[in-house]
Every structure is written in structure tokens, then in C-alpha cells.
Amino acid sequence: MPESELTTAGPPPARRGGLSPQATVILTASIAALGGLLFGYDTSVISGAMLFFQHTFHLTDVQLEWAVSAVLLGAMAGSALGGRLTDLWGRRPVLMATGVGFGIFSVWTGLSTGLPTFVIARFLVGCCIGVASLVTPLYISEMAPAKIRGGLVSLNQLAITVGIGVAYVVDYALAGAKDWRMMFASAVVPAVVLVVGMIFLPESPRWLAKVGRLAEALTNFRRLGREQEAQIELADVERVLHEETGRFWDLFKPGFRTAVWIGIGLAILQQITGINTIIYYAPDILTRAGYSSAKAAILATVTIGIVNILTTVLAIFLVDRVGRKPLLLVGTAGMAASLAFIGYSFAQQAKGVGVFIGVLVYIFFFAVSLGPVVWLMIAEIYPTKIRGVGMSVATFVEWGANFVVAVTFLSLLNWAGAVHTFWLFAVLSVLGLIFCWLVIPETKGKSLEQIEEDFRRLGRRRGARA
Ligand code: BGC
């Protein structure tokens, strides 16, 4: 693109509603993060609704398993497709379409008249979750300035945790009326807010540059609060785009191949260390640990939700200051220790308090590390032209691992017992710590283009050595 064309893009648009550049990007990221809220809400709402719709539809245990896991299978399908769609059509239209889908399919779930329609509706909600889990962090990472990108992308994780918390509260509030239909249909509210909000947000400037719409890319960098830096940032994006072919196979070139393995490794690690055994089954675990009243177990679950949210806020402040890697190392070490302690507590006579404290400490270490950092890093490490597809690979693996853990956990618990199950998760966390120590690079403060260059250089070094 000739320089003249760039400069005809005109003066920077007036500040929106008098917002500072920082406030503009924070607002933009917060609206997009509603995708994360729907992800959190829709994966968790089923735990409270389960009891009631099982009764309405007279489900056997096997049918119930299908009803519960349909959403995860949908998320796998959505994440497999979402990357390609967003590379082709842009981040903004795909996120908007996802919001529309969330609205329609949540209401459909609430209205379903039998198991087949319910399972199909939940599968389609799952597809939306899969797409949102990928496009939300991707969009935020591409529009964020490098030095606060970690915190902004982690707003997505904060929204996930808030979504989980809201789902617990809605389930609790509607449990008296046994209104499982409303529990599912309520997701229409954030879905509408997401769609309306997205109307006002700019398309990702990096995606616009990728498809050759450079003048719009420049305008959008400016809309996102970049003043003088807009042109420099765009020039950097253009420079790396020249080196990319945009073909899927770029992902398997030396250097980017490492990025693919890092993404897959982080995705598996986030799930096989057991987070969703706590998020989905906390009341069950606590009951096994001796909590006799359901009320006490639910109250304990709410406390877990609050710790999850508050610690994510802490992570948002830390991730651009101390960096991604130190958080991952401290987090996986803390998770290993707390999981070992949960297992140990299950072996004791009075296990309730020990297990509960262990779970809270575990949630703290997850929420300060693997929770936000995995979604952040998989949105940072792939080359621009195929960033969506690269994320699809990692996100698909993430949902696959989530599915495997969710459907095997109760059987594992019954077969191996609680002590050995949690010790197994502890061992997997130690392996995760070693993986992070040896393989994960630091991306703090670097632009997406610098990160891409680093992987390219790594590929060249490896090529020279071979
Ligand atoms: C994970 C979810 C998990 C949530 C808990 C997310 O980062 O991907 O599987 O339920 O964190 O906060």
C-alpha cells in the first residue's frame, strides 16, 4: 500500500464520547468479553438445572450423560470451524453471529419438549461456546496495545468466571420454582447485549490488514486510541504479512510448529489438571468429603466461585507486570501442592475442612495462572494470516480434553478413589510445571509481530542446525 493512500485515511477520529485511549480499548475489550461470559454461564448452568430436567424428561443415567456432554461436543465442533470462519469473514461478524446463535439456542433449550430437541439445542449452544472461546481472546489480542494486552485478553477469563458465578446464582434463585427452562433461557440477556455492543465496535485492524484493507486498518488503530503509533504498528503488521503465505501448512513450518505444540500442550494442561472436576462437580466432591447438608455444599461452591473471580482480577494486574511464564510456573507448582493436599485430606478421618481449604487454594493457583494465561497465549503465538486456524487447533484440543475429563471423572473417582484421583491430577500438574519451565517462551510486552518474528527466528536457527 503506498504511503499516500495511508495518509489519506484522514485525521484520527474524534475521541469516542471523550474517552481516553486506554478507556476506549478497555471498553472495547469488555464488550467483546461478553463472549466469555456466555461461555462461562452456558457451561455451568446445567449443574443446577440437571436435577429438574432429568425429572421432566424421565432420563436414565446414560441419557443424562448425553444431555450434559452435548454442549462439550458442540464446543469441539464450534472451535474446529470457528478459526477458518473468522480468518475468512473477520472477527467482528463472527462474534456477532455467535451472539445471535447464543440468544436463539438458549431460548430453544428452555423451550425444548423432549430429550432429542434438548440435546440438539445444547449441542448448538456448544457450537457457539466453541466459536466464542476462540474469537473473543483473538479479537481482544489483535486490538490491544502490547503493553496491556495480557490484562485486556484476561478480561475474557474474568468474564468466564463471572459467567460461572452468575449461573450458580441463577440456578440457586430458580431452584425453588424448579424452573430449569428459565435457567437456560436467561442467557438470552447477555447475548443481546453482546450483539448490540458489537455493532459499535471496530473490526480488528490486524484482520483488515491481512485482507488488504489497509486504510480501514489504520483508521481502526486510531479508533482504538493509537495516535502517532498507528502507522508504525500497521507497518509492522504489513512487514510480517509479506512473509506469510496464509496457507494452513505454514503452521507446520519450523518455528511455527513449536507454536502449535505449545498451544496444544497448554490446552491439554489446562484441562487434565482437573479444573472442571471442581467447577462441574464441586458439590459432589464436598459431599463425598463429608458435607452432609446440600445447603452447606452449595454455599461452599459459591465461595469457590468468588475466589475464582477475585483471583482472576489479581491475575489481570500481574500478567503484564510479572509476565506469563512466572505465573504459569508458580501456578502449576501451587496446583500440584494443593491437589496433593486434597488427596491427603481425603485419607483423613475428618476430611471436610481439609478438602475445602485444599480446593480453595487450588482454585487460587489455577485462576492466577492456567485460567487466564492459556487463553491469552494461544491468542498470541500464531502468525497473523492463520491465527484463527492456529487457535482452532488449540481450542479444539482444549474442548476435547475438557470432554474426556468431564465424562471420565466420576468413573475414575469410583474406580480409583478420591485419594488416588487427586494425586493423579497432582502428578499431571508437576508434568505441566516441567513443560512450562522447558518450553514456554515469555511474550510479555512484545507486539504480536515481534512474537511472530521470534518463532520465525527459532525456525531459522533450527533449520541451520539441521
Ligand atoms: C477454562 C474452563 C474453566 C474455567 C474456570 C477456563 O479458563 O477453560 O474450562 O471452567 O476457566 O474458571
Side-chain angles (χ1 to χ4, degrees):
M1 164 134 213
E3 182 66 13
S4 58
E5 216 176 307
L6 288 181
T7 44
T8 54
R15 276 189 184 172
R16 319 173 80 209
L19 290 180
S20 70
Q22 188 119 337
T24 308
V25 284
I26 292 176
L27 182 68
T28 308
S30 307
I31 295 174
L34 283 171
L37 188 124
L38 284 156
F39 160 176
Y41 185 88
D42 268 314
T43 44
S44 315
V45 70
I46 198 152
S47 60
M50 197 145 61
L51 221 64
F52 307 117
F53 70 76
Q54 181 180 21
H55 191 238
T56 310
F57 296 145
H58 310 291
L59 302 184
T60 63
D61 280 353
V62 176
Q63 287 173 325
L64 182 64
E65 257 169 33
W66 274 102
V68 172
S69 49
V71 81
L72 297 177
L73 294 174
M76 286 170 75
S79 54
L81 286 176
R84 185 93 189 103
L85 295 184
T86 189
D87 278 348
L88 281 177
W89 296 337
R91 318 314 188 197
R92 190 171 160 270
V94 173
L95 204 47
M96 277 175 89
T98 310
V100 173
F102 266 122
I104 294 174
F105 303 132
S106 302
V107 174
W108 177 356
T109 315
L111 294 176
S112 44
T113 47
L115 183 65
T117 44
F118 181 87
V119 168
I120 294 170
R122 283 294 285 169
F123 179 84
L124 292 171
V125 167
C127 290
C128 296
I129 296 177
V131 177
S133 69
L134 173 161
V135 185
T136 308
L138 172 57
Y139 174 77
I140 303 176
S141 80
E142 287 190 336
M143 66 88 191
K147 59 179 193 310
I148 52 167
R149 189 180 57 242
L152 286 180
V153 177
S154 301
L155 285 177
N156 170 56
Q157 175 68 16
L158 181 62
I160 296 173
T161 59
V162 171
I164 294 171
V166 172
Y168 287 156
V169 174
V170 170
D171 281 356
Y172 189 66
L174 295 173
K178 301 187 174 153
D179 194 349
W180 63 266
R181 294 182 184 279
M182 204 54 188
M183 293 176 188
F184 289 109
S186 306
V188 72
V189 178
V192 169
V193 181
L194 172 64
V195 175
V196 174
M198 285 307 293
I199 295 173
F200 301 99
L201 299 196
E203 178 53 274
S204 150
R206 284 182 166 81
W207 181 82
L208 288 168
K210 159 187 133 76
V211 293
R213 291 157 58 180
L214 296 180
E216 284 171 74
L218 188 65
T219 307
N220 283 5
F221 268 130
R222 287 179 169 157
R223 273 182 72 185
L224 289 162
R226 318 301 209 278
E227 308 277 327
Q228 297 84 351
E229 320 90 78
Q231 234 152 39
I232 304 169
E233 216 167 324
L234 181 58
D236 272 350
V237 177
E238 281 191 80
R239 189 174 39 75
V240 295
L241 285 173
H242 276 305
E243 300 193 43
E244 295 180 25
T245 68
R247 286 197 310 259
F248 178 72
W249 301 112
D250 274 5
L251 283 180
F252 298 94
K253 286 188 178 157
F256 295 126
R257 203 160 46 206
T258 310
V260 171
W261 285 120
I262 289 174
I264 291 178
L266 284 174
I268 295 178
L269 180 61
Q270 195 199 46
Q271 293 299 320
I272 59 163
T273 43
I275 181 61
N276 286 319
T277 63
I278 307 290
I279 299 293
Y280 302 162
Y281 298 104
D284 191 79
I285 294 173
L286 293 170
T287 311
R288 282 171 199 253
Y291 278 69
S292 46
S293 92
K295 206 161 170 206
I298 289 175
L299 200 65
T301 308
V302 171
T303 314
I304 292 169
I306 293 171
V307 170
N308 198 8
I309 295 172
L310 294 182
T311 316
T312 308
V313 175
L314 176 68
I316 288 174
F317 281 101
L318 290 179
V319 71
D320 290 311
R321 291 181 170 84
V322 303
R324 291 48 165 159
K325 189 161 178 162
L327 288 184
L328 285 175
L329 296 179
V330 171
T332 44
M335 284 165 66
S338 48
L339 284 162
F341 181 72
I342 296 173
Y344 165 82
S345 303
F346 264 110
Q348 306 307 305
Q349 270 299 335
K351 25 185 160 285
V353 177
V355 169
F356 182 51
I357 290 173
V359 166
L360 289 183
V361 175
Y362 167 81
I363 289 288
F364 172 87
F365 281 109
F366 173 86
V368 84
S369 64
L370 287 182
V373 176
V374 170
W375 292 111
L376 167 61
M377 288 199 80
I378 63 175
E380 295 182 321
I381 56 178
Y382 304 110
T384 300
K385 280 191 185 159
I386 44 173
R387 189 166 290 132
V389 177
M391 279 196 80
S392 257
V393 175
T395 319
F396 177 78
V397 171
E398 216 265 356
W399 287 109
N402 188 334
F403 175 75
V404 171
V405 174
V407 297
T408 54
F409 175 63
L410 288 182
S411 315
L412 186 65
L413 213 54
N414 291 333
W415 175 71
V419 177
H420 292 111
T421 301
F422 285 100
W423 281 352
L424 172 67
F425 288 136
V427 171
L428 292 171
S429 302
V430 172
L431 295 181
L433 170 66
I434 297 170
F435 169 79
C436 292
W437 175 263
L438 295 178
V439 183
I440 301 297
E442 184 53 77
T443 53
K444 173 186 90 166
K446 293 181 180 169
S447 71
L448 297 180
E449 290 66 39
Q450 283 166 331
I451 298 170
E452 184 169 339
E453 273 303 320
D454 286 349
F455 278 113
R456 214 181 286 283
R457 217 169 302 129
L458 176 77
R460 280 198 291 268
R461 272 209 308 275
R462 293 213 169 139
R465 244 185 278 144

mmCIF file with all atom_site columns, all heavy atoms in Angstrom, residues 39 157 160-161 164 270-271 275-276 279 308 366 371 375 398 402, ligand 1:
data_model
loop_
_atom_site.group_PDB
_atom_site.id
_atom_site.type_symbol
_atom_site.label_atom_id
_atom_site.label_alt_id
_atom_site.label_comp_id
_atom_site.label_asym_id
_atom_site.label_entity_id
_atom_site.label_seq_id
_atom_site.pdbx_PDB_ins_code
_atom_site.Cartn_x
_atom_site.Cartn_y
_atom_site.Cartn_z
_atom_site.occupancy
_atom_site.B_iso_or_equiv
_atom_site.pdbx_formal_charge
_atom_site.auth_seq_id
_atom_site.auth_comp_id
_atom_site.auth_asym_id
_atom_site.auth_atom_id
_atom_site.pdbx_PDB_model_num
ATOM   1   N N   . PHE A 1 39  ? -19.838 -18.119 27.562 1.00 0.00 ? 39  PHE A N   1
ATOM   2   C CA  . PHE A 1 39  ? -19.083 -19.375 27.661 1.00 0.00 ? 39  PHE A CA  1
ATOM   3   C C   . PHE A 1 39  ? -19.201 -19.906 29.101 1.00 0.00 ? 39  PHE A C   1
ATOM   4   O O   . PHE A 1 39  ? -19.603 -21.052 29.350 1.00 0.00 ? 39  PHE A O   1
ATOM   5   C CB  . PHE A 1 39  ? -17.658 -19.079 27.213 1.00 0.00 ? 39  PHE A CB  1
ATOM   6   C CG  . PHE A 1 39  ? -16.524 -20.001 27.618 1.00 0.00 ? 39  PHE A CG  1
ATOM   7   C CD1 . PHE A 1 39  ? -15.242 -19.750 27.123 1.00 0.00 ? 39  PHE A CD1 1
ATOM   8   C CD2 . PHE A 1 39  ? -16.674 -21.098 28.444 1.00 0.00 ? 39  PHE A CD2 1
ATOM   9   C CE1 . PHE A 1 39  ? -14.170 -20.559 27.461 1.00 0.00 ? 39  PHE A CE1 1
ATOM   10  C CE2 . PHE A 1 39  ? -15.603 -21.916 28.794 1.00 0.00 ? 39  PHE A CE2 1
ATOM   11  C CZ  . PHE A 1 39  ? -14.353 -21.628 28.312 1.00 0.00 ? 39  PHE A CZ  1
ATOM   12  N N   . GLN A 1 157 ? -11.187 -14.118 30.513 1.00 0.00 ? 157 GLN A N   1
ATOM   13  C CA  . GLN A 1 157 ? -11.227 -15.130 31.579 1.00 0.00 ? 157 GLN A CA  1
ATOM   14  C C   . GLN A 1 157 ? -12.043 -14.621 32.769 1.00 0.00 ? 157 GLN A C   1
ATOM   15  O O   . GLN A 1 157 ? -12.796 -15.374 33.385 1.00 0.00 ? 157 GLN A O   1
ATOM   16  C CB  . GLN A 1 157 ? -9.800  -15.490 32.011 1.00 0.00 ? 157 GLN A CB  1
ATOM   17  C CG  . GLN A 1 157 ? -9.698  -16.439 33.200 1.00 0.00 ? 157 GLN A CG  1
ATOM   18  C CD  . GLN A 1 157 ? -10.204 -17.855 32.902 1.00 0.00 ? 157 GLN A CD  1
ATOM   19  O OE1 . GLN A 1 157 ? -10.359 -18.236 31.751 1.00 0.00 ? 157 GLN A OE1 1
ATOM   20  N NE2 . GLN A 1 157 ? -10.497 -18.615 33.940 1.00 0.00 ? 157 GLN A NE2 1
ATOM   21  N N   . ILE A 1 160 ? -15.498 -15.207 31.945 1.00 0.00 ? 160 ILE A N   1
ATOM   22  C CA  . ILE A 1 160 ? -15.847 -16.639 32.077 1.00 0.00 ? 160 ILE A CA  1
ATOM   23  C C   . ILE A 1 160 ? -16.185 -16.946 33.546 1.00 0.00 ? 160 ILE A C   1
ATOM   24  O O   . ILE A 1 160 ? -17.213 -17.554 33.857 1.00 0.00 ? 160 ILE A O   1
ATOM   25  C CB  . ILE A 1 160 ? -14.680 -17.550 31.610 1.00 0.00 ? 160 ILE A CB  1
ATOM   26  C CG1 . ILE A 1 160 ? -14.411 -17.363 30.115 1.00 0.00 ? 160 ILE A CG1 1
ATOM   27  C CG2 . ILE A 1 160 ? -14.978 -19.018 31.919 1.00 0.00 ? 160 ILE A CG2 1
ATOM   28  C CD1 . ILE A 1 160 ? -13.174 -18.096 29.592 1.00 0.00 ? 160 ILE A CD1 1
ATOM   29  N N   . THR A 1 161 ? -15.320 -16.457 34.443 1.00 0.00 ? 161 THR A N   1
ATOM   30  C CA  . THR A 1 161 ? -15.532 -16.765 35.871 1.00 0.00 ? 161 THR A CA  1
ATOM   31  C C   . THR A 1 161 ? -16.811 -16.089 36.392 1.00 0.00 ? 161 THR A C   1
ATOM   32  O O   . THR A 1 161 ? -17.547 -16.665 37.185 1.00 0.00 ? 161 THR A O   1
ATOM   33  C CB  . THR A 1 161 ? -14.331 -16.334 36.747 1.00 0.00 ? 161 THR A CB  1
ATOM   34  O OG1 . THR A 1 161 ? -14.128 -14.929 36.587 1.00 0.00 ? 161 THR A OG1 1
ATOM   35  C CG2 . THR A 1 161 ? -13.074 -17.051 36.366 1.00 0.00 ? 161 THR A CG2 1
ATOM   36  N N   . ILE A 1 164 ? -19.712 -18.101 35.220 1.00 0.00 ? 164 ILE A N   1
ATOM   37  C CA  . ILE A 1 164 ? -19.892 -19.299 36.061 1.00 0.00 ? 164 ILE A CA  1
ATOM   38  C C   . ILE A 1 164 ? -20.610 -18.912 37.359 1.00 0.00 ? 164 ILE A C   1
ATOM   39  O O   . ILE A 1 164 ? -21.570 -19.557 37.794 1.00 0.00 ? 164 ILE A O   1
ATOM   40  C CB  . ILE A 1 164 ? -18.520 -19.953 36.377 1.00 0.00 ? 164 ILE A CB  1
ATOM   41  C CG1 . ILE A 1 164 ? -17.888 -20.495 35.084 1.00 0.00 ? 164 ILE A CG1 1
ATOM   42  C CG2 . ILE A 1 164 ? -18.664 -21.063 37.411 1.00 0.00 ? 164 ILE A CG2 1
ATOM   43  C CD1 . ILE A 1 164 ? -16.448 -20.972 35.247 1.00 0.00 ? 164 ILE A CD1 1
ATOM   44  N N   . GLN A 1 270 ? -4.328  -27.286 30.703 1.00 0.00 ? 270 GLN A N   1
ATOM   45  C CA  . GLN A 1 270 ? -5.365  -26.547 31.433 1.00 0.00 ? 270 GLN A CA  1
ATOM   46  C C   . GLN A 1 270 ? -6.480  -27.481 31.898 1.00 0.00 ? 270 GLN A C   1
ATOM   47  O O   . GLN A 1 270 ? -7.085  -27.287 32.945 1.00 0.00 ? 270 GLN A O   1
ATOM   48  C CB  . GLN A 1 270 ? -5.960  -25.444 30.545 1.00 0.00 ? 270 GLN A CB  1
ATOM   49  C CG  . GLN A 1 270 ? -6.753  -24.433 31.351 1.00 0.00 ? 270 GLN A CG  1
ATOM   50  C CD  . GLN A 1 270 ? -7.721  -23.619 30.520 1.00 0.00 ? 270 GLN A CD  1
ATOM   51  O OE1 . GLN A 1 270 ? -8.456  -24.135 29.693 1.00 0.00 ? 270 GLN A OE1 1
ATOM   52  N NE2 . GLN A 1 270 ? -7.703  -22.309 30.724 1.00 0.00 ? 270 GLN A NE2 1
ATOM   53  N N   . GLN A 1 271 ? -6.744  -28.524 31.108 1.00 0.00 ? 271 GLN A N   1
ATOM   54  C CA  . GLN A 1 271 ? -7.871  -29.397 31.439 1.00 0.00 ? 271 GLN A CA  1
ATOM   55  C C   . GLN A 1 271 ? -7.491  -30.630 32.250 1.00 0.00 ? 271 GLN A C   1
ATOM   56  O O   . GLN A 1 271 ? -8.224  -31.023 33.154 1.00 0.00 ? 271 GLN A O   1
ATOM   57  C CB  . GLN A 1 271 ? -8.591  -29.808 30.147 1.00 0.00 ? 271 GLN A CB  1
ATOM   58  C CG  . GLN A 1 271 ? -9.274  -28.634 29.449 1.00 0.00 ? 271 GLN A CG  1
ATOM   59  C CD  . GLN A 1 271 ? -10.342 -27.972 30.317 1.00 0.00 ? 271 GLN A CD  1
ATOM   60  O OE1 . GLN A 1 271 ? -11.091 -28.631 31.016 1.00 0.00 ? 271 GLN A OE1 1
ATOM   61  N NE2 . GLN A 1 271 ? -10.407 -26.642 30.283 1.00 0.00 ? 271 GLN A NE2 1
ATOM   62  N N   . ILE A 1 275 ? -9.373  -28.825 36.579 1.00 0.00 ? 275 ILE A N   1
ATOM   63  C CA  . ILE A 1 275 ? -10.180 -27.662 36.970 1.00 0.00 ? 275 ILE A CA  1
ATOM   64  C C   . ILE A 1 275 ? -11.676 -27.948 36.927 1.00 0.00 ? 275 ILE A C   1
ATOM   65  O O   . ILE A 1 275 ? -12.427 -27.589 37.833 1.00 0.00 ? 275 ILE A O   1
ATOM   66  C CB  . ILE A 1 275 ? -9.840  -26.399 36.112 1.00 0.00 ? 275 ILE A CB  1
ATOM   67  C CG1 . ILE A 1 275 ? -10.685 -25.203 36.556 1.00 0.00 ? 275 ILE A CG1 1
ATOM   68  C CG2 . ILE A 1 275 ? -10.044 -26.627 34.616 1.00 0.00 ? 275 ILE A CG2 1
ATOM   69  C CD1 . ILE A 1 275 ? -10.512 -24.767 37.957 1.00 0.00 ? 275 ILE A CD1 1
ATOM   70  N N   . ASN A 1 276 ? -12.127 -28.619 35.859 1.00 0.00 ? 276 ASN A N   1
ATOM   71  C CA  . ASN A 1 276 ? -13.580 -28.757 35.739 1.00 0.00 ? 276 ASN A CA  1
ATOM   72  C C   . ASN A 1 276 ? -14.165 -29.884 36.588 1.00 0.00 ? 276 ASN A C   1
ATOM   73  O O   . ASN A 1 276 ? -15.379 -29.972 36.727 1.00 0.00 ? 276 ASN A O   1
ATOM   74  C CB  . ASN A 1 276 ? -13.985 -28.870 34.267 1.00 0.00 ? 276 ASN A CB  1
ATOM   75  C CG  . ASN A 1 276 ? -13.853 -27.505 33.614 1.00 0.00 ? 276 ASN A CG  1
ATOM   76  O OD1 . ASN A 1 276 ? -14.215 -26.491 34.218 1.00 0.00 ? 276 ASN A OD1 1
ATOM   77  N ND2 . ASN A 1 276 ? -13.296 -27.452 32.423 1.00 0.00 ? 276 ASN A ND2 1
ATOM   78  N N   . ILE A 1 279 ? -15.147 -27.280 39.033 1.00 0.00 ? 279 ILE A N   1
ATOM   79  C CA  . ILE A 1 279 ? -16.187 -26.358 38.553 1.00 0.00 ? 279 ILE A CA  1
ATOM   80  C C   . ILE A 1 279 ? -17.513 -27.097 38.328 1.00 0.00 ? 279 ILE A C   1
ATOM   81  O O   . ILE A 1 279 ? -18.566 -26.598 38.681 1.00 0.00 ? 279 ILE A O   1
ATOM   82  C CB  . ILE A 1 279 ? -15.734 -25.662 37.248 1.00 0.00 ? 279 ILE A CB  1
ATOM   83  C CG1 . ILE A 1 279 ? -14.464 -24.833 37.498 1.00 0.00 ? 279 ILE A CG1 1
ATOM   84  C CG2 . ILE A 1 279 ? -16.826 -24.803 36.635 1.00 0.00 ? 279 ILE A CG2 1
ATOM   85  C CD1 . ILE A 1 279 ? -14.640 -23.632 38.394 1.00 0.00 ? 279 ILE A CD1 1
ATOM   86  N N   . ASN A 1 308 ? -12.496 -17.692 42.606 1.00 0.00 ? 308 ASN A N   1
ATOM   87  C CA  . ASN A 1 308 ? -12.129 -17.779 41.196 1.00 0.00 ? 308 ASN A CA  1
ATOM   88  C C   . ASN A 1 308 ? -12.168 -16.384 40.544 1.00 0.00 ? 308 ASN A C   1
ATOM   89  O O   . ASN A 1 308 ? -11.233 -15.970 39.851 1.00 0.00 ? 308 ASN A O   1
ATOM   90  C CB  . ASN A 1 308 ? -13.108 -18.740 40.496 1.00 0.00 ? 308 ASN A CB  1
ATOM   91  C CG  . ASN A 1 308 ? -12.600 -19.242 39.160 1.00 0.00 ? 308 ASN A CG  1
ATOM   92  O OD1 . ASN A 1 308 ? -11.453 -19.011 38.786 1.00 0.00 ? 308 ASN A OD1 1
ATOM   93  N ND2 . ASN A 1 308 ? -13.456 -19.927 38.424 1.00 0.00 ? 308 ASN A ND2 1
ATOM   94  N N   . PHE A 1 366 ? -4.953  -21.909 40.129 1.00 0.00 ? 366 PHE A N   1
ATOM   95  C CA  . PHE A 1 366 ? -5.425  -22.044 38.737 1.00 0.00 ? 366 PHE A CA  1
ATOM   96  C C   . PHE A 1 366 ? -5.782  -20.670 38.182 1.00 0.00 ? 366 PHE A C   1
ATOM   97  O O   . PHE A 1 366 ? -5.392  -20.308 37.059 1.00 0.00 ? 366 PHE A O   1
ATOM   98  C CB  . PHE A 1 366 ? -6.653  -22.973 38.663 1.00 0.00 ? 366 PHE A CB  1
ATOM   99  C CG  . PHE A 1 366 ? -7.278  -23.013 37.288 1.00 0.00 ? 366 PHE A CG  1
ATOM   100 C CD1 . PHE A 1 366 ? -6.808  -23.893 36.324 1.00 0.00 ? 366 PHE A CD1 1
ATOM   101 C CD2 . PHE A 1 366 ? -8.316  -22.143 36.940 1.00 0.00 ? 366 PHE A CD2 1
ATOM   102 C CE1 . PHE A 1 366 ? -7.366  -23.915 35.032 1.00 0.00 ? 366 PHE A CE1 1
ATOM   103 C CE2 . PHE A 1 366 ? -8.874  -22.153 35.662 1.00 0.00 ? 366 PHE A CE2 1
ATOM   104 C CZ  . PHE A 1 366 ? -8.392  -23.040 34.709 1.00 0.00 ? 366 PHE A CZ  1
ATOM   105 N N   . GLY A 1 371 ? -5.746  -20.525 34.116 1.00 0.00 ? 371 GLY A N   1
ATOM   106 C CA  . GLY A 1 371 ? -7.043  -19.993 33.687 1.00 0.00 ? 371 GLY A CA  1
ATOM   107 C C   . GLY A 1 371 ? -6.866  -18.901 32.644 1.00 0.00 ? 371 GLY A C   1
ATOM   108 O O   . GLY A 1 371 ? -7.192  -19.074 31.465 1.00 0.00 ? 371 GLY A O   1
ATOM   109 N N   . TRP A 1 375 ? -5.611  -19.062 27.612 1.00 0.00 ? 375 TRP A N   1
ATOM   110 C CA  . TRP A 1 375 ? -6.393  -18.390 26.557 1.00 0.00 ? 375 TRP A CA  1
ATOM   111 C C   . TRP A 1 375 ? -5.611  -17.222 25.966 1.00 0.00 ? 375 TRP A C   1
ATOM   112 O O   . TRP A 1 375 ? -5.715  -16.920 24.782 1.00 0.00 ? 375 TRP A O   1
ATOM   113 C CB  . TRP A 1 375 ? -7.746  -17.913 27.107 1.00 0.00 ? 375 TRP A CB  1
ATOM   114 C CG  . TRP A 1 375 ? -8.650  -19.055 27.448 1.00 0.00 ? 375 TRP A CG  1
ATOM   115 C CD1 . TRP A 1 375 ? -9.054  -19.445 28.699 1.00 0.00 ? 375 TRP A CD1 1
ATOM   116 C CD2 . TRP A 1 375 ? -9.245  -20.002 26.534 1.00 0.00 ? 375 TRP A CD2 1
ATOM   117 N NE1 . TRP A 1 375 ? -9.859  -20.567 28.619 1.00 0.00 ? 375 TRP A NE1 1
ATOM   118 C CE2 . TRP A 1 375 ? -9.999  -20.924 27.303 1.00 0.00 ? 375 TRP A CE2 1
ATOM   119 C CE3 . TRP A 1 375 ? -9.217  -20.165 25.148 1.00 0.00 ? 375 TRP A CE3 1
ATOM   120 C CZ2 . TRP A 1 375 ? -10.709 -21.989 26.735 1.00 0.00 ? 375 TRP A CZ2 1
ATOM   121 C CZ3 . TRP A 1 375 ? -9.925  -21.223 24.587 1.00 0.00 ? 375 TRP A CZ3 1
ATOM   122 C CH2 . TRP A 1 375 ? -10.656 -22.113 25.373 1.00 0.00 ? 375 TRP A CH2 1
ATOM   123 N N   . GLU A 1 398 ? -8.462  -28.314 23.477 1.00 0.00 ? 398 GLU A N   1
ATOM   124 C CA  . GLU A 1 398 ? -8.904  -27.893 24.806 1.00 0.00 ? 398 GLU A CA  1
ATOM   125 C C   . GLU A 1 398 ? -10.271 -28.476 25.150 1.00 0.00 ? 398 GLU A C   1
ATOM   126 O O   . GLU A 1 398 ? -10.478 -29.076 26.211 1.00 0.00 ? 398 GLU A O   1
ATOM   127 C CB  . GLU A 1 398 ? -8.967  -26.359 24.818 1.00 0.00 ? 398 GLU A CB  1
ATOM   128 C CG  . GLU A 1 398 ? -8.571  -25.710 26.112 1.00 0.00 ? 398 GLU A CG  1
ATOM   129 C CD  . GLU A 1 398 ? -9.762  -25.422 26.989 1.00 0.00 ? 398 GLU A CD  1
ATOM   130 O OE1 . GLU A 1 398 ? -10.925 -25.649 26.565 1.00 0.00 ? 398 GLU A OE1 1
ATOM   131 O OE2 . GLU A 1 398 ? -9.558  -25.002 28.112 1.00 0.00 ? 398 GLU A OE2 1
ATOM   132 N N   . ASN A 1 402 ? -11.347 -31.324 27.810 1.00 0.00 ? 402 ASN A N   1
ATOM   133 C CA  . ASN A 1 402 ? -12.412 -30.988 28.765 1.00 0.00 ? 402 ASN A CA  1
ATOM   134 C C   . ASN A 1 402 ? -13.466 -32.108 28.770 1.00 0.00 ? 402 ASN A C   1
ATOM   135 O O   . ASN A 1 402 ? -13.882 -32.605 29.818 1.00 0.00 ? 402 ASN A O   1
ATOM   136 C CB  . ASN A 1 402 ? -13.035 -29.648 28.325 1.00 0.00 ? 402 ASN A CB  1
ATOM   137 C CG  . ASN A 1 402 ? -14.016 -29.076 29.337 1.00 0.00 ? 402 ASN A CG  1
ATOM   138 O OD1 . ASN A 1 402 ? -14.606 -29.800 30.110 1.00 0.00 ? 402 ASN A OD1 1
ATOM   139 N ND2 . ASN A 1 402 ? -14.214 -27.778 29.299 1.00 0.00 ? 402 ASN A ND2 1
HETATM 140 C C1  . BGC B 2 .   ? -11.373 -22.973 31.403 1.00 0.00 ? 1   BGC B C1  1
HETATM 141 C C2  . BGC B 2 .   ? -12.675 -23.608 31.751 1.00 0.00 ? 1   BGC B C2  1
HETATM 142 C C3  . BGC B 2 .   ? -12.920 -23.488 33.240 1.00 0.00 ? 1   BGC B C3  1
HETATM 143 C C4  . BGC B 2 .   ? -12.778 -22.048 33.690 1.00 0.00 ? 1   BGC B C4  1
HETATM 144 C C5  . BGC B 2 .   ? -12.852 -21.939 35.189 1.00 0.00 ? 1   BGC B C5  1
HETATM 145 C C6  . BGC B 2 .   ? -11.355 -21.543 31.861 1.00 0.00 ? 1   BGC B C6  1
HETATM 146 O O1  . BGC B 2 .   ? -10.140 -20.956 31.552 1.00 0.00 ? 1   BGC B O1  1
HETATM 147 O O2  . BGC B 2 .   ? -11.168 -23.039 30.013 1.00 0.00 ? 1   BGC B O2  1
HETATM 148 O O3  . BGC B 2 .   ? -12.675 -24.946 31.337 1.00 0.00 ? 1   BGC B O3  1
HETATM 149 O O4  . BGC B 2 .   ? -14.202 -23.957 33.567 1.00 0.00 ? 1   BGC B O4  1
HETATM 150 O O5  . BGC B 2 .   ? -11.551 -21.495 33.259 1.00 0.00 ? 1   BGC B O5  1
HETATM 151 O O6  . BGC B 2 .   ? -12.670 -20.638 35.627 1.00 0.00 ? 1   BGC B O6  1
#
